[in-house]
Amino acid sequence: MLSRRLTDLAQAERFQLLLGAVKDYAIYLLDAEGHVATWNTGAQLFKGYTADEIIGRHFSTFYTEEDRAAGLPERALRTAAETGRFEAEGWRVRKDGTRFWTHVVIDPVIDQGELIGYAKITRDVTDRRAAHEALRESERRFEILVQGVHDYAIYMLDPEGVVTNWNAGAQAIKGYAADEIVGRHFSLFYTPEDREAGAPARALATALSEGKFSGEAQRVRKNGERFWASVVIDPIRDESGQLLGFAKVTRDITERRRAEEELEQSREALVQAQKMEAIGRLTGGVAHDFNNLLTVIRASADFLRRPGLAEDKRARYVEAIAETAERAATLTGQLLAFARRQPLQPEVFDVCARLQGLLRIIGSTIGSSVTIEIDLPETEHVVEADPSQFDTAVLNMVINARDAMPRGGTIRIGARMVDGVPAVRGHAPALGAFVAVDIADDGTGMSPETLKKIFEPFFTTKPVDKGTGLGLSQVYGFAKQSRGEIDVESRLDVGTTFTLYLPSADGRALSGPAPDPALVDLATVARRRILLVEDNEGVGRFAAGLLKELGQAVTWVGDGQAALKQLNNSRDAFDLVFSDVVMPGMSGIELAQHIQQRWPDLQVALTSGYSHVIAEQGSQGFPLVRKPYSIDGLLAILGSRST
């Protein structure tokens, strides 16, 4: 018995040492009436009392006055005795009078069925409570903030898309009160057609897969009215990555959309007005120039009808008609070049060599009062472009420079390689290697207002009958069609520099010289059996007669279907199909491609005055004669065997 008692005493001492070592918890015993019977180090640290100061005093000493007045200490002991445990959190008081927040557990101590006291464990959780209160305050402030926003609908969805909360902005924008919408699916706000197309589910799926969904679309208010909304949906996850739901922000942008639409309508109206102004200027310019040309042709034709006309006069009038027709063709070519609808015939050529070849023509054009200075490198500067259009563009710029120097001066012509094209007239800069052709003068220069208009068709600062206003328009159109650019710098009383940029074709083999159609001997042209396809009766009759005069056998049909019918009936009766491009039903390009597939050995040639198909897609490899065509042009086709 003695040894057993000594063992119990030893265990009690070790237990007391254990409790004394605990500093994070106040662990002590109360007697049955609530007086402190033991005291550990943690209790002294929390509450400030030493064991000598507190043992024997009632534990209600630690409670606040208001809790003691409310009988909370007695109630805590009674609850522990009756239920076997008391647990709560509340304010307690240290020895120095300061308060701290505690978590308290009181367990009854029973010995042989009799209550002999209580075990009390207290923990100081002031910091935890402060953090919790701070979090609650933050959440409260955030809720106040969200509820105070009226321009945005801000609310939460659960993972299935059901609305879980609702702010004042959502009510203002969509018309639903919180008790009307919380618990309902957010697809309610979508239009019927969007719901049918699966837009709500797709929006949530996008938010999950991409981390965010944003877009603009029509939504529906409670009263059925539609409005334009800007929507953002973000997935909300916990610390472990588990999806909690979605945060949805919606803004009513109906007014902004309406303002944008009104602005766009205003822009369209302005563009339409500008188009009408340009059309008026274009119509007037074309009418003026063509009436001048037609005057020469009509008067010459009238004189040719007169009997007994001398042969020298007859030849003079015929030459006048031919020259005027050539000028008319040049005029339409300039119009189409400005509109970037002139079919080009690109070749690979050296810009420097081409400019050298133009010097004689330039010299005879500018007159003796103007000096030409050339700065051309010895190395090749190769481009791929229409050489005849290039020549015309250079001559137009040279003539423009000459006219800017009425008292004479110097025109400087140069070529150089550049890396990219700078931003021009608000266009973005272009990347890559370009050949730049500079044509500069020391003439009168131009004002900034004039510079804005110089590439417009029929805009000219020259006196009446001194220019059509199409020269620089042709340069502009040629540059754009050739994937290049045209720039100009000018200062009043200092001079002007035009720079034509064309993409470099460095490394490409130069094209061989084209044969001169004028050198084709009519007697050497073999007789061909030609199927002529032309829907215009006047042009068809004239072309058939012209080809017959050239010794050809001609069958004329009015459209592509009739041509195919002829070929189906008698393919071997024809050596060449000569077709217009623009025709009702089947176009000339479509006819040519059909013939190429079915009868690949049959030669096809095309002709056109203008076709958007030719302008945008080219002639698809088929020989092309431009209208108005000449005898030389026809002879070139008749002498060609290429398809």
Side-chain angles (χ1 to χ4, degrees), residues 101-319:
W101 191 262
T102 63
H103 177 266
V104 177
V105 176
I106 302 176
D107 290 295
V109 179
I110 308 295
D111 184 20
Q112 296 181 0
E114 180 182 354
L115 177 67
I116 63 172
Y118 300 90
K120 191 170 186 294
I121 301 175
T122 304
R123 187 179 185 188
D124 185 347
V125 293
T126 306
D127 291 341
R128 190 191 73 184
R129 184 177 187 277
H132 180 69
E133 288 296 319
L135 178 61
R136 288 185 57 188
E137 179 63 17
S138 175
E139 291 175 345
R140 188 181 69 83
R141 290 177 181 273
F142 182 73
E143 184 177 357
I144 292 173
L145 172 64
V146 170
Q147 288 298 329
V149 174
H150 291 270
D151 292 336
Y152 291 83
I154 304 174
Y155 53 98
M156 297 282 295
L157 309 175
D158 70 11
E160 284 71 43
V162 174
V163 179
T164 59
N165 58 34
W166 197 245
N167 80 325
Q171 181 170 343
I173 292 174
K174 304 191 184 247
Y176 295 92
D179 57 0
E180 294 177 306
I181 199 63
V182 171
R184 302 177 70 178
H185 199 271
F186 84 112
S187 60
L188 182 68
F189 313 131
Y190 283 68
T191 63
E193 54 269 27
D194 282 349
R195 285 199 298 271
E196 185 176 348
R202 193 160 54 249
L204 297 186
T206 300
L208 286 175
S209 62
E210 300 182 8
K212 180 178 183 178
F213 170 83
S214 61
E216 294 184 359
Q218 284 192 326
R219 295 292 185 264
V220 183
R221 306 190 205 275
K222 178 183 177 182
N223 62 6
E225 176 188 359
R226 296 192 177 197
F227 67 101
W228 276 97
S230 173
V231 178
V232 177
I233 303 176
D234 290 289
I236 304 299
R237 302 180 184 274
D238 61 17
E239 294 83 354
S240 64
Q242 183 71 26
L243 179 67
L244 300 178
F246 300 89
K248 192 167 186 295
V249 180
T250 303
R251 187 179 187 189
D252 186 343
I253 59 170
T254 305
E255 291 301 321
R256 191 195 78 186
R257 293 279 299 208
R258 184 177 295 116
E260 289 175 352
E261 290 173 358
E262 290 175 354
L263 178 59
E264 186 60 30
Q265 290 172 359
S266 299
R267 286 176 179 166
E268 290 178 359
L270 177 60
V271 170
Q272 186 64 23
Q274 291 172 334
K275 284 182 180 178
M276 295 305 295
E277 179 184 357
I279 289 172
R281 186 188 303 160
L282 183 67
T283 303
V286 170
H288 175 269
D289 282 9
F290 267 100
N291 280 334
N292 286 340
L293 299 174
L294 291 174
T295 298
V296 176
I297 295 174
R298 177 64 184 270
S300 298
D302 287 343
F303 274 106
L304 288 173
R305 289 196 186 104
R306 297 179 64 184
L309 187 66
E311 189 60 33
D312 60 334
K313 291 184 178 180
R314 181 180 300 276
R316 187 167 68 249
Y317 291 132
V318 169
E319 185 64 23

Side-chain angles (χ1 to χ4, degrees), residues 28 36 40 72 76 140 159 333 354 370 383 395 404 422 477 479 495 575 618 628 632:
Y28 52 98
V36 178
N40 78 328
L72 183 58
R140 188 181 69 83
R354 197 80 190 180
V370 176
V383 300
L395 289 173
D575 307 308
D632 290 342

Side-chain angles (χ1 to χ4, degrees), residues 326-610:
E326 193 66 31
R327 288 170 59 193
T330 300
L331 179 61
T332 56
Q334 289 176 326
L335 283 169
L336 291 173
F338 170 76
R340 289 179 263 174
R341 291 295 185 266
Q342 176 79 327
L344 298 181
Q345 296 179 336
E347 298 178 12
V348 179
F349 63 89
D350 177 16
V351 165
C352 299
R354 197 80 190 180
L355 290 172
Q356 288 284 5
L358 284 173
L359 288 180
R360 184 179 60 82
I361 300 175
I362 292 174
S364 64
T365 301
I366 61 176
S368 59
S369 63
V370 176
T371 302
I372 296 293
E373 292 183 0
I374 300 295
D375 182 16
L376 298 176
E378 295 182 0
T379 57
E380 288 183 345
H381 285 34
V382 180
V383 300
E384 183 178 15
D386 188 318
S388 63
Q389 288 288 323
F390 174 80
D391 294 349
T392 302
V394 171
L395 289 173
N396 277 328
M397 289 187 287
V398 167
I399 292 170
N400 198 75
R402 178 203 65 186
D403 293 343
M405 300 183 296
R407 295 186 179 88
T410 301
I411 297 176
R412 292 169 292 279
I413 301 175
R416 55 196 168 91
M417 292 294 300
V418 296
D419 185 13
V421 178
V424 175
R425 296 184 306 281
H427 299 173
L431 302 178
F434 287 80
V435 176
V437 177
D438 300 310
I439 298 179
D441 64 66
D442 49 12
T444 56
M446 292 176 280
S447 67
E449 291 74 19
T450 301
L451 281 176
K452 295 177 182 178
K453 300 179 180 180
I454 58 172
F455 296 117
E456 295 180 7
F458 297 109
F459 175 80
T460 180
T461 58
K462 300 172 184 177
V464 178
D465 294 331
K466 295 298 182 181
T468 64
L470 284 173
L472 294 180
S473 299
Q474 181 272 335
V475 179
Y476 174 85
F478 166 68
K480 289 298 186 181
Q481 273 193 285
S482 303
R483 296 176 291 110
E485 187 57 87
I486 179 69
D487 192 16
V488 57
E489 294 182 359
S490 186
R491 292 174 60 190
L492 287 173
D493 302 323
V494 175
T496 301
T497 299
F498 284 92
T499 302
L500 173 64
Y501 295 93
L502 295 175
S504 172
D506 187 32
R508 298 278 300 278
L510 299 179
S511 302
D516 186 354
L519 299 179
V520 178
D521 186 356
L522 183 60
T524 65
V525 178
R527 187 173 185 272
R528 313 284 293 280
R529 297 168 299 173
I530 300 175
L531 177 59
L532 174 66
V533 189
E534 173 61 66
D535 63 310
N536 185 287
E537 184 176 352
V539 175
R541 185 181 296 109
F542 178 80
L546 187 59
L547 289 168
K548 288 176 181 178
E549 288 290 334
L550 295 175
Q552 308 302 307
V554 181
T555 301
W556 170 35
V557 295
D559 56 52
Q561 293 295 342
L564 291 177
K565 184 176 181 181
Q566 282 281 351
L567 292 172
N568 285 326
N569 292 335
S570 53
R571 153 62 188 91
D572 294 335
F574 302 101
D575 307 308
L576 170 67
V577 177
F578 185 47
S579 174
D580 189 21
V581 171
V582 180
M583 297 184 296
M586 180 182 295
S587 72
I589 291 283
E590 293 170 333
L591 173 63
Q593 291 173 333
H594 188 91
I595 293 172
Q596 187 179 55
Q597 291 176 359
R598 185 166 182 184
W599 301 289
D601 60 329
L602 180 58
Q603 183 184 355
V604 180
L606 302 174
T607 182
S608 179
Y610 163 70

